[in-house]
Amino acid sequence: FWSEPLMYQGGSDSFLDPHGDIMLENEDWGADFEAEIAVVTDDVPMGVSRKSALDHVVLIMLANDVSLRNLIPGELAKGFGFFQSKPSTAFSPVAVTPDELGPVWEDGKVHLPVLSDLNGSAFGRPDAGIDMTFDFSDLICHAARTRPLCAGTIIGSGTVSNKGPDGSPGKPVADGGAGYSCIAEVRMVETIRTGKAHTPFMSFGDVVDIRMMTESGKSIFGSITQKVVRHHG
């Protein structure tokens, strides 16, 4: 886990509108948001070196990598991986070239907080440049180890997360911490601290908002703002 990325290949036939609904048939599926950074590459050769991997990043954006937490265990138990538990992803309405980020794009990381709100309340403020186990050089190399990547490939960072100052699990924003970029993380922290998770996954009507601001307070990517609604098939 700490020496090699854990990566899944998601379906790419449909994406969610950045301001569109998260369609959910059943609240029992455990809908969760995941605030991430994502990059878009040009053609990446198989076996690309770590030194040249970042040369293939052409765009940077935000992602809401939606997860259905309660469907994950059953899928993983079959020995293959995610599919039904990882539905369509939403990306920010704006993607920028690396040079537009200036010095905050460094060492394959974006050194700014990812801001997540749930139902209008601050949920996460972690810095994407801190505690990133594998930077985008690592992730691109890993994805291209056994195949070339075609232009337009999207690679996500994984959920942005920060540890506490002493290395302990982070605290909620309301308690002075950086908070969390997904509900699963706060539920895990609650389980560690109290023996039981208390924060529910998303329900119909819940709204998540994900964005990133410059140090001067300007929006970089626009916002991903989505409501969970019931799907009637």
Side-chain angles (χ1 to χ4, degrees):
F1 181 82
W2 297 109
S3 61
E4 187 174 76
L6 177 64
M7 185 177 288
Y8 80 95
Q9 183 175 1
S12 59
D13 53 331
S14 69
F15 298 130
L16 298 179
D17 187 304
H19 291 170
D21 296 330
I22 298 172
M23 304 296 292
L24 190 66
E25 185 176 313
N26 192 328
E27 289 181 332
D28 291 341
W29 289 351
D32 196 0
F33 68 93
E34 290 189 44
E36 302 185 10
I37 309 293
V39 300
V40 183
T41 74
D42 60 12
D43 290 314
V44 181
M46 177 176 164
V48 66
S49 69
R50 192 178 188 283
K51 182 179 179 180
S52 62
L54 292 182
D55 295 338
H56 295 281
V57 174
V58 294
L59 292 170
I60 302 169
M61 56 190 180
L62 301 179
N64 180 14
D65 184 20
V66 180
S67 291
L68 304 178
R69 301 294 184 185
N70 293 336
L71 299 185
I72 290 175
E75 284 202 286
L76 293 185
K78 297 176 182 178
F80 263 30
F82 303 119
F83 192 76
Q84 289 184 342
S85 52
K86 298 296 292 186
S88 299
T89 297
F91 297 98
S92 54
V94 176
V96 304
T97 54
D99 61 292
E100 289 294 326
L101 291 179
V104 301
W105 171 248
E106 184 179 8
D107 300 326
K109 304 175 185 179
V110 179
H111 294 265
L112 284 173
V114 177
L115 314 179
S116 301
D117 293 349
L118 185 60
N119 295 326
S121 297
F123 196 91
R125 299 292 186 266
D127 192 311
I130 300 174
D131 300 324
M132 188 177 183
T133 306
F134 301 103
D135 63 33
F136 279 107
S137 294
D138 299 319
L139 297 175
I140 293 169
C141 288
H142 184 77
R145 183 181 179 189
T146 61
R147 75 180 88 181
L149 307 179
C150 66
T153 294
I154 302 172
I155 297 180
S157 64
T159 310
V160 178
S161 176
N162 289 167
K163 302 173 185 175
D166 59 354
S168 63
K171 295 180 180 180
V173 173
D175 294 340
Y180 315 96
S181 293
C182 67
I183 297 171
E185 184 176 0
V186 67
R187 286 173 59 88
M188 181 61 68
V189 173
E190 289 169 345
T191 301
I192 291 171
R193 290 178 172 162
T194 70
K196 183 178 180 181
H198 306 286
T199 302
F201 291 119
M202 292 192 293
S203 301
F204 299 130
D206 284 351
V207 176
V208 60
D209 182 86
I210 300 168
R211 62 200 183 281
M212 178 176 280
M213 314 297 286
T214 64
E215 293 181 351
S216 62
K218 295 181 179 179
S219 176
I220 300 174
F221 304 100
S223 69
I224 300 172
T225 305
Q226 297 181 277
K227 178 186 285 188
V228 179
V229 301
R230 184 186 294 275
H231 171 66
H232 296 282

